[in-house]
Amino acid sequence: NAGVTQTPKFQVLKTGQSMTLQCAQDMNHNSMYWYRQDPGMGLRLIYYSASEGTTDKGEVPNGYNVSRLNKREFSLRLESAAPSQTSVYFCASSGGTRVTGELFFGEGSRLTVL
Amino acid sequence: GESVGLHLPTLSVQEGDNSIINCAYSNSASDYFIWYKQESGKGPQFIIDIRSNMDKRQGQRVTVLLNKTVKHLSLQIAATQPGDSAVYFCAENLGGSARQLTFGSGTQLTVLP
């Protein structure tokens, strides 16, 4: 049982390049999330999907797009990467459509934008 | 979102001692409080949560205490082990929306041999 799987684990981009971070969960969870984690700061929500077919903006959505491809997969796309998007990105999932506390996180994707 | 703060950014304890990690929150309307553990290079892992109508909740070697009067949350780890070395951060949830889940920045716990 893999849980939440993210790819790639590491990526280096040049300013202006685009890329997609992939996330898949095998726990049959309804809700999925994308967070970014920067030094000295708490996790910040970029986008989330409360159920298949729906997506909503979080605290820091600018410069990102998401796709909830099916119940298992939730991707995050950077259309034109900027140095400010250098961060560690975490995908997470939870069972219900309402968030209580327990989120299951992936191992993270470390992105550097030069 | 509301800020969630931690009293100390680092904490060192001797192996076998008890650890106490503190967290202050600012929104008295928060319904859930959660503790996560994040080991180096890994994703956060849920430890324990507590609802606002509770004062204390115990898990395996961990206890969370909630003091709503002073808006304070603490995580106690009994008989701290080397595998407990990690960043611990608290989170508060104002309701059922992901947008209302706010994470603190974390405390680095180091277990000394």
Side-chain angles (χ1 to χ4, degrees):
Chain A
N1 194 353
V4 178
T5 303
Q6 293 181 231
T7 56
K9 287 186 168 32
F10 299 94
Q11 184 72 50
V12 178
L13 292 177
K14 294 181 180 178
T15 297
Q17 288 185 319
S18 62
M19 76 159 298
T20 300
L21 300 177
Q22 306 286 355
C23 175
Q25 52 91 8
D26 62 3
M27 296 172 282
N28 200 35
H29 283 169
N30 287 306
S31 299
M32 297 186 74
Y33 316 86
W34 277 105
Y35 286 92
R36 60 179 288 174
Q37 186 176 46
D38 300 296
M41 300 183 71
L43 292 163
R44 291 185 292 169
L45 182 66
I46 305 170
Y47 270 94
Y48 67 102
S49 171
S51 61
E52 186 179 355
T54 68
T55 60
D56 282 290
K57 294 179 180 179
E59 180 186 355
V60 288
N62 291 344
Y64 306 96
N65 285 302
V66 290
S67 295
R68 183 76 184 265
L69 304 170
N70 48 54
K71 192 171 185 179
R72 289 187 64 248
E73 298 173 287
F74 189 38
S75 63
L76 178 72
R77 182 161 179 83
L78 286 69
E79 291 291 352
S80 179
S84 61
Q85 293 178 304
T86 294
S87 188
V88 182
Y89 292 85
F90 288 98
C91 178
S93 69
S94 64
T97 55
R98 283 175 61 82
V99 174
T100 52
E102 185 168 9
L103 303 185
F104 294 82
F105 285 85
E107 297 279 275
S109 298
R110 285 147 185 82
L111 174 66
T112 300
V113 183
L114 303 175
Chain B
E2 294 295 327
S3 64
V4 179
L6 291 161
H7 290 305
L8 294 172
T10 62
L11 176 66
S12 297
V13 297
Q14 292 292 138
E15 182 177 353
D17 287 351
N18 296 334
S19 303
I20 300 176
I21 301 170
N22 296 304
C23 181
Y25 66 93
S26 57
N27 197 317
S28 57
S30 292
D31 190 33
Y32 273 94
F33 301 88
I34 312 103
W35 282 100
Y36 280 87
K37 172 186 180 182
Q38 186 175 20
E39 295 177 54
S40 181
K42 295 193 174 182
Q45 181 180 14
F46 173 89
I47 302 172
I48 191 168
D49 62 2
I50 187 168
R51 287 204 72 166
S52 58
N53 61 356
M54 301 170 67
D55 297 322
K56 179 180 179 178
R57 191 172 186 204
Q58 288 185 292
Q60 188 177 5
R61 279 200 310 117
V62 295
T63 300
V64 57
L65 299 178
L66 177 62
N67 185 331
K68 293 180 285 292
T69 302
V70 296
K71 297 179 186 171
H72 183 268
L73 185 71
S74 68
L75 178 71
Q76 300 178 2
I77 305 173
T80 312
Q81 303 169 359
D84 294 327
S85 291
V87 174
Y88 291 81
F89 52 90
C90 61
E92 62 176 318
N93 194 340
L94 286 167
S97 168
R99 257 181 292 191
Q100 295 171 304
L101 181 61
T102 304
F103 291 87
S105 56
T107 292
Q108 173 70 58
L109 175 66
T110 301
V111 181
L112 304 172

